[in-house]
Amino acid sequence: VSTQSTGMLTPKFSITQDEKFVIVTLHVPHVKISESEMFIEGSEFKFYLKPYYLRLNFNNEVIENGQEHAQYDVNSGDIIVNIPKRTPGEQFTDLGMISKLLAPNHTCKPKIEVVGSDTSGAEPFLSVPEDFTWEWDQEYPVDDPSNSIHVAYGFCDRYNNFYEPFLNEYPDLLDLKSPDQTPYSHRKSLLEINLLESFDMEHYLSDFMDMNEFVGDVIHYQPRYKSNPTSFTCVEDEQQLLCTLPYNQVHLEKKQMKRTLIGLVDILFSFVFDHLTNCGEVSVESGWNICKLSSQLSWLYSPTSLRESLLLSFSRALTFPLYRHFDFCIRVLEDLKFIVSQGRPLILKCLLGVYDIFRKHEFYYLHNNTFIKDYCLWIQSTDERSIRKLMDALNNLSLISKSDLPFP
């Protein structure tokens, strides 16, 4: 359970549904169940039983009509609450988006919004516009020598003056050694120089000419998210992790939405690469793999298009990990597309996987503060249509070949 500022505890819970009810199972052991109180109105459900308190805000409406009922199992400590749907047969959405469900109900608007330049009062954008080109016009700030350099990074460039104090103690945290002094316009050139200097042709050719048993195994490994549909659902530890994430409001402009979706591809590629490399397990190198392959997490550089994002991911995957094989990169891209095709629940599960790997690391946990936490919150509220458009864009990209990469 997680402790709230009020001193109350959020109980462990899970949510399912049938045609007539939303079914909430709460784990509240060692309590006097006769003292419990419940409230059902509009899209909101509240449960109180000292020391537990739970408030859920659904996307759809529920109703108190006399059919609501609850059952308590003394042995398991679980209370199962059946909450009537206002419209029987209606399919409730986002029941796995725990942070969104726990957020306060402010006129039922999502906490993470995409706002456009139109201030006429129209609803904020939550999906990619029809004319979305998967390119964003990168506007480099003009350095003013009379002022100190303002450098931003992280999710939607929301952070600055964060990393540099940690680099003396943790020099391997970033490849970019002066993050708070390096203008965005310089990061890509530094990244590219480092990439070319680090590429080892002999290592690459050795893996290419001799596909050893390990490389063959990982290329043909079938992860659980493909073989087991139930793996899309967040397990108890992941649900509790979502309960601990502060659900802060984030406003995204149209250009920021594009950048966020492209950045998502960068992070997912790194996660999938590590996941397949370790056949679904987490290794001591997992944090390093994910950070090293991601341009955002290593150089604080956000690719400007889907194709650039994938080219950088391929290039870094053929330069830094122990095993470097082009066919393996193609396999990673195929799995990335599969994950995106399954929508937000599986994407969220992958992001939580990254978050969990980082939070257990000596210093990579810092990336959770600037990138991964906000991605976990954003994916729960963004429109599913945006993810479908991202999937279409990935499918429409021309195939990446070895000749597209920057190596000789």
Side-chain angles (χ1 to χ4, degrees):
V1 294
S2 58
T3 304
Q4 306 297 316
S5 59
T6 59
M8 303 303 293
L9 302 177
T10 301
K12 297 178 181 179
F13 67 95
S14 61
I15 307 175
T16 58
Q17 64 179 312
D18 59 22
E19 289 295 305
K20 295 183 178 180
F21 298 97
V22 176
I23 304 162
V24 181
T25 302
L26 305 96
H27 185 62
V28 287
H30 315 302
V31 295
K32 191 173 182 180
I33 200 65
S34 61
E35 297 180 354
S36 63
E37 299 180 24
M38 301 184 200
F39 171 86
I40 302 170
E41 184 178 16
S43 60
E44 193 169 59
F45 166 73
K46 294 179 182 177
F47 172 87
Y48 171 73
L49 176 57
K50 192 175 181 179
Y52 298 106
Y53 174 78
L54 178 68
R55 179 196 59 236
L56 300 173
N57 284 296
F58 303 111
N59 284 350
N60 312 74
E61 290 197 351
V62 291
I63 188 172
E64 186 173 357
N65 60 6
Q67 297 184 26
E68 64 280 354
H69 58 280
Q71 181 178 355
Y72 184 62
D73 187 329
V74 177
N75 294 325
S76 66
D78 291 343
I79 180 171
I80 303 173
V81 184
N82 289 260
I83 308 168
K85 297 179 178 180
R86 177 173 288 277
T87 306
E90 184 177 29
Q91 189 72 12
F92 276 43
T93 59
D94 292 352
L95 294 183
M97 305 302 175
I98 304 300
S99 302
K100 183 179 179 182
L101 289 169
L102 292 175
N105 185 359
H106 297 308
T107 67
C108 297
K109 288 187 178 180
K111 287 287 189 176
I112 298 183
E113 300 176 297
V114 182
V115 295
S117 58
D118 183 3
T119 58
S120 61
E123 284 296 309
F125 286 91
L126 286 171
S127 60
V128 177
E130 292 298 327
D131 59 351
F132 193 75
T133 64
W134 296 103
E135 302 277 349
W136 52 278
D137 297 327
Q138 192 162 274
E139 299 172 359
Y140 296 137
V142 177
D143 297 332
D144 184 348
S146 65
N147 297 320
S148 60
I149 297 176
H150 175 75
V151 177
Y153 40 71
F155 182 85
C156 291
D157 284 342
R158 297 179 64 211
Y159 302 91
N160 57 67
N161 297 319
F162 177 83
Y163 282 111
E164 207 145 307
F166 298 99
L167 289 180
N168 286 335
E169 186 175 0
Y170 306 122
D172 294 330
L173 173 61
L174 294 170
D175 288 346
L176 181 63
K177 297 309 179 186
S178 300
D180 295 309
Q181 304 299 322
T182 307
Y184 192 86
S185 55
H186 295 171
R187 296 179 209 170
K188 183 180 181 181
S189 58
L190 292 172
L191 180 158
E192 291 174 337
I193 291 171
N194 174 263
L195 187 62
L196 292 174
E197 290 177 346
S198 302
F199 181 72
D200 186 337
M201 180 62 76
E202 290 186 3
H203 189 140
Y204 169 72
L205 289 176
S206 176
D207 283 0
F208 174 73
M209 299 299 294
D210 180 22
M211 182 185 288
N212 59 41
E213 181 178 351
F214 176 81
V215 175
D217 287 344
V218 297
I219 288 180
H220 296 101
Y221 166 70
Q222 289 299 313
R224 287 189 294 271
Y225 53 71
K226 279 191 171 181
S227 60
N228 182 11
T230 61
S231 64
F232 294 7
T233 304
C234 291
V235 298
E236 181 178 305
D237 288 347
E238 293 167 334
Q239 291 179 339
Q240 291 304 304
L241 177 58
L242 285 172
C243 289
T244 66
L245 296 180
Y247 201 68
N248 297 325
Q249 189 170 4
V250 179
H251 293 282
L252 301 186
E253 297 178 354
K254 291 181 181 180
K255 186 165 65 174
Q256 290 176 317
M257 184 65 162
K258 301 174 187 179
R259 188 173 184 177
T260 299
L261 287 165
I262 293 168
L264 176 66
V265 171
D266 171 72
I267 293 173
L268 286 180
F269 186 99
S270 302
F271 170 78
V272 173
F273 186 99
D274 178 76
H275 189 78
L276 296 181
T277 297
N278 295 300
C279 295
E281 302 298 327
V282 175
S283 76
V284 294
E285 297 295 329
S286 290
W288 185 91
N289 283 337
I290 295 171
C291 289
K292 203 68 174 179
L293 267 61
S294 167
S295 300
Q296 293 179 105
L297 301 176
S298 56
W299 286 94
L300 306 181
Y301 173 73
S302 299
T304 60
S305 69
L306 284 178
R307 187 164 183 81
E308 183 192 19
S309 178
L310 291 174
L311 286 174
L312 285 173
S313 295
F314 271 57
S315 299
R316 299 187 70 78
L318 296 176
T319 302
F320 296 107
L322 178 60
Y323 298 101
R324 310 169 189 178
H325 203 284
F326 186 83
D327 289 345
F328 184 42
C329 292
I330 295 296
R331 166 64 200 278
V332 172
L333 178 55
E334 291 174 354
D335 275 38
L336 187 158
K337 290 180 179 180
F338 174 82
I339 290 169
V340 174
S341 74
Q342 300 305 306
R344 293 179 300 141
L346 185 53
I347 294 173
L348 174 61
K349 192 173 180 69
C350 293
L351 290 171
L352 289 174
V354 177
Y355 189 98
D356 192 52
I357 290 170
F358 285 175
R359 72 171 177 155
K360 297 173 182 176
H361 193 274
E362 181 183 7
F363 48 81
Y364 287 142
Y365 74 91
L366 294 165
H367 291 315
N368 282 341
N369 295 333
T370 52
F371 284 97
I372 310 304
K373 174 192 69 178
D374 290 329
Y375 267 104
C376 288
L377 297 176
W378 163 79
I379 195 64
Q380 294 180 72
S381 288
T382 195
D383 197 303
E384 193 70 53
R385 289 175 295 176
S386 299
I387 305 304
R388 289 197 296 269
K389 288 178 180 289
L390 175 60
M391 185 69 242
D392 292 340
L394 286 169
N395 285 331
N396 291 330
L397 277 179
S398 58
L399 294 177
I400 293 177
S401 65
K402 295 174 184 177
S403 62
D404 296 321
L405 304 180
F407 310 126

